[in-house]
């Protein structure tokens, strides 16, 4: 158990809908990262937060947004969902910026 | 843009064999290279390497980094079926030029047959 908690574990929804994925980092970790993993693309970095502030953006679509709250948990919002958004979404946390990451178990999103 | 290339993409060996997984990279302001093992869901941390030539070992697994040639290898000796997994290589930059977390390779899918 990495100490990073993600909910829900599975999510099935229809195209055009909006979903929210939730992540609680390890106790004491200030950095939260979101990754998307699909079979053909591997693990793709989406966005990073550090102590409530957005620190870096990767290949995140405009339809996607995220935030980190004062209690350090983070949410990833995916809207206007398309079939191609079906993937495994991971949250990870670390105590230092860009150092060893600890991953949650992921949310498997299926868009039908 | 940082880049990580792993090879092979897939590898099937028999239990007891020794395997070598490769990772080459291009990264601005290199900080560290990390290896992860992904079995069912969450990638789990194996090694972090920051200096060239210093081998990291954990049981049957070992890894070494060559910062001059920009690659790393992960060795697994006396493989067991429990070693079957996707092995991910990632690099991090020092966060000053553009803090974008870790850049991952697509992984090597290792299958150990009994």
């Amino acid at each position: 158990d990495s100490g990073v908690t993600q909910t829900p574990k599975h999510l099935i929804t229809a195209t055009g809908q909006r979903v929210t994925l939730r992540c609680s980092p390890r106790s004491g970790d200030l950095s939260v990262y979101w990754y998307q993993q699909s079979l053909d693309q591997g693990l793709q970095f989406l966005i990073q937060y550090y102590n409530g502030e957005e620190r870096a953006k990767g290949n995140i679509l405009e339809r996607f947004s995220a935030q980190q709250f004062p209690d350090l948990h983070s949410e990833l919002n995916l809207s206007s969902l398309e079939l191609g958004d079906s993937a495994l979404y991971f949250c990870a946390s670390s105590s230092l910026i860009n150092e060893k990451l600890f991953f949650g178990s992921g949310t498997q999103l299926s868009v039908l | 843009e940082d880049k990580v290339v792993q090879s092979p993409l897939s590898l099937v060996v028999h239990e007891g064999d020794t395997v070598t997984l490769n990772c080459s990279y291009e990264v601005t302001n290199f900080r560290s290279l990390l290896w992860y093992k992904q079995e069912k869901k969450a990638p789990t941390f194996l090694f972090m390497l920051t200096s060239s030539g210093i081998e990291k070992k954990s049981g049957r697994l070992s890894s070494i980094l060559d910062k001059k040639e920009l690659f790393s290898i992960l060795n697994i000796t006396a493989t067991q079926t429990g070693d079957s997994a996707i092995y991910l290589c990632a690099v991090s930059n020092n966060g000053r030029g553009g803090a974008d977390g870790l850049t991952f390779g697509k992984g090597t899918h290792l299958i150990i047959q009994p």
Side-chain angles (χ1 to χ4, degrees):
Chain A
D1 182 10
S2 67
V4 178
T5 304
Q6 283 189 252
T7 57
K9 291 193 186 310
H10 300 276
L11 199 48
I12 301 174
T13 189
T15 54
Q17 295 297 306
R18 173 190 170 95
V19 297
T20 297
L21 313 183
R22 195 177 191 280
C23 168
S24 294
R26 288 190 322 155
S27 176
D29 284 357
L30 299 180
S31 270
V32 170
Y33 306 75
W34 286 98
Y35 284 85
Q36 178 193 59
Q37 187 176 41
S38 57
L39 283 173
D40 56 339
Q41 290 293 321
L43 263 173
Q44 296 286 308
F45 169 70
L46 295 178
I47 198 164
Q48 175 191 358
Y49 282 84
Y50 179 77
N51 202 21
E53 298 289 325
E54 180 186 304
R55 178 156 174 104
K57 265 186 174 179
N59 300 318
I60 188 166
L61 300 171
E62 285 191 12
R63 300 183 285 108
F64 296 180
S65 64
Q67 52 184 328
Q68 186 179 27
F69 294 87
D71 67 352
L72 300 178
H73 91 271
S74 178
E75 292 180 357
L76 178 67
N77 300 296
L78 315 176
S79 62
S80 303
L81 284 167
E82 302 175 358
L83 296 176
D85 298 327
S86 296
L88 190 52
Y89 291 83
F90 284 109
C91 169
S93 73
S94 71
S95 58
L96 297 170
I97 295 169
N98 294 336
E99 284 298 329
K100 186 167 71 175
L101 301 187
F102 293 87
F103 285 82
S105 297
T107 294
Q108 180 68 59
L109 174 66
S110 299
V111 182
L112 305 179
Chain B
E1 183 179 326
D2 298 346
K3 190 188 296 185
V4 177
V5 178
Q6 292 186 247
S7 64
L9 290 179
S10 181
L11 185 57
V12 181
V13 300
H14 289 291
E15 206 168 15
D17 288 351
T18 293
V19 297
T20 298
L21 310 183
N22 304 295
C23 175
S24 63
Y25 63 90
E26 295 173 24
V27 60
T28 53
N29 297 317
F30 175 88
R31 179 170 175 146
S32 62
L33 184 144
L34 299 91
W35 285 95
Y36 283 82
K37 179 182 181 182
Q38 185 176 18
E39 292 176 88
K40 289 181 182 175
K41 282 284 184 83
T44 53
F45 172 80
L46 292 175
F47 297 112
M48 183 168 73
L49 303 130
T50 56
S51 302
S52 270
I54 299 174
E55 186 180 29
K56 294 265 183 139
K57 295 191 90 166
S58 175
R60 296 175 295 101
L61 276 67
S62 64
S63 182
I64 198 160
L65 173 68
D66 186 327
K67 288 171 74 174
K68 184 179 176 186
E69 300 298 329
L70 307 183
F71 78 89
S72 174
I73 60 172
L74 175 68
N75 276 319
I76 308 175
T77 60
T79 52
Q80 303 169 358
T81 54
D83 296 326
S84 296
I86 297 173
Y87 290 84
L88 297 166
C89 175
V91 293
S92 73
N93 59 42
N94 65 16
R96 286 198 286 269
D100 56 0
L102 293 176
T103 300
F104 282 84
K106 292 192 176 181
T108 293
H109 190 184
L110 177 63
I111 297 171
I112 311 297
Q113 291 183 338

